[in-house]
Amino acid sequence: MKIHALTTGTVSLKQAFLYPDPGPRRQLGLFLPGAWSAPMPIHCWAIEHDGVLRLVDTGETAAARDVPFARMHVTPEQELPAAVAAAGLALEDVSEVVLTHAHGDHIDGSVHVTGRVLINETELRYLHSAAPRVMRRVLRQPLPAGFAPEPFGLDGGPFGAFARSRALSDDRRIVAVDTPGHTTGHISVICVDDSGRHVMLAGDATDSLEQLHARRADAVGPNPTVHVATLDTILAHCANHPTVYLPSHDPDSLARFTAATTVTVDRADQRHGVAGLPAS
Ligand SMILES: [Zn+2]
């Protein structure tokens, strides 16, 4: 199995997104003037395994519009085709795309993809309900042209600490797991690499490893209690499996990924802290 980190530009997030006020002002801060983060990467991932090339998410495009709490910095030269080529891969060889969730910086690049695109059925159902339809109009965030992903259910039973999962590869080494919180139907993809480590492509389950350890819900998720419960599940999973935790926007994801995939197998056990295991 070979995993490639792809990058499609950067995004700056309002601090009120990353460090929300507790209580009723949690989401208000998203729409008030405030400080911004430094640009953070917009990663997506390619997985070569058993002769199949899969993508997890498709990144952002230059056509993206900013919202009151996120500013996109993407040029046409940074979109998915160039990101895939930079990894030495060919877009036409992609046979399957799995989306962690339906935010623009994860799905907009799907305009470049011709293979099948998969999404959690819960996320798709929510996407077509009234509230997100209104928000897309208000924030001028249309779905990408031709967006018609195939829904899948998390009906494959538990995987590690996760109660619900769905194997994406026949050998169950690439598995979608239920990580609701940032969105209602958010999933993460866990790849069991050739040395048995779990490489967790975490989407926006958190924006950083620090946020996971802090067990802090973000400001955009509909239900902070659900979000924190997911973070506890991820931490429980990491405690039982050597895991490389890779959120899409963590400025340290690339370094963690590189460190984890370039150490030899017998040294890997000394790398738990780098790989994202909880410190305790
Ligand atoms: Zn998101």
Side-chain angles (χ1 to χ4, degrees):
M1 181 183 297
K2 190 159 172 44
I3 302 170
H4 305 263
L6 313 179
T7 310
T8 63
T10 61
V11 57
S12 300
L13 296 172
K14 206 176 267 181
Q15 295 292 349
F17 180 120
L18 299 167
Y19 303 95
D21 276 342
R25 288 175 52 90
R26 185 176 71 97
Q27 294 192 311
L28 189 62
L30 293 172
F31 299 93
L32 299 176
W36 291 80
S37 76
M40 302 159 68
I42 305 171
H43 289 309
C44 52
W45 308 90
I47 310 162
E48 293 180 272
H49 180 54
D50 261 356
V52 177
L53 180 58
R54 288 182 176 81
L55 298 184
V56 176
D57 291 333
T58 59
E60 189 50 282
T61 64
R65 294 193 182 99
D66 294 342
V67 293
F69 45 86
R71 294 172 178 161
M72 305 297 170
H73 319 289
V74 187
T75 66
E77 296 74 30
Q78 293 174 315
E79 294 184 15
L80 188 67
V84 167
L89 302 169
L91 203 49
E92 56 269 28
D93 292 337
V94 173
S95 51
E96 192 173 283
V97 177
V98 185
L99 301 172
T100 58
H101 66 296
H103 284 162
D105 52 332
H106 299 255
I107 67 174
D108 283 346
S110 66
V111 295
H112 297 297
V113 173
T114 52
R116 68 199 292 235
V117 178
L118 303 175
I119 191 168
N120 180 8
E121 61 187 6
T122 305
E123 185 77 352
L124 189 61
R125 209 177 310 122
Y126 177 75
L127 195 60
H128 291 310
S129 63
R133 279 174 184 269
V134 171
M135 284 308 282
R136 283 200 295 276
R137 242 187 333 261
V138 169
L139 297 175
R140 297 163 67 230
Q141 298 287 310
L143 293 172
F147 187 67
E150 297 174 36
F152 65 90
L154 292 164
D155 51 8
F159 181 84
F162 300 95
R164 303 173 70 227
S165 74
R166 167 69 164 249
L168 300 171
S169 64
D170 292 340
D171 61 2
R172 294 186 59 86
R173 285 179 58 190
I174 304 174
V175 183
V177 296
D178 200 16
T179 50
H182 177 71
T183 63
T184 305
H186 189 286
I187 58 119
S188 300
V189 175
I190 294 179
C191 304
V192 182
D193 75 7
D194 292 347
S195 59
R197 276 170 307 201
H198 289 194
V199 179
M200 183 166 181
L201 308 176
D204 292 356
T206 65
D207 290 296
S208 65
L209 179 58
E210 179 275 329
Q211 186 191 343
L212 174 65
H213 285 154
R215 302 173 57 250
R216 184 177 66 246
D218 64 32
V220 297
N223 185 331
T225 305
V226 169
H227 201 164
V228 172
T230 286
L231 303 188
D232 285 340
T233 301
I234 295 171
L235 288 167
H237 188 86
C238 292
N240 284 316
H241 304 273
T243 300
V244 189
Y245 181 72
L246 301 173
S248 300
H249 305 302
D250 188 343
D252 296 328
S253 275
L254 202 53
R256 258 196 323 274
F257 172 71
T258 305
T261 50
T262 51
V263 294
T264 57
V265 175
D266 58 347
R267 285 183 56 209
D269 283 348
Q270 300 163 23
R271 290 275 184 160
H272 285 176
V274 174
L277 279 173
S280 56

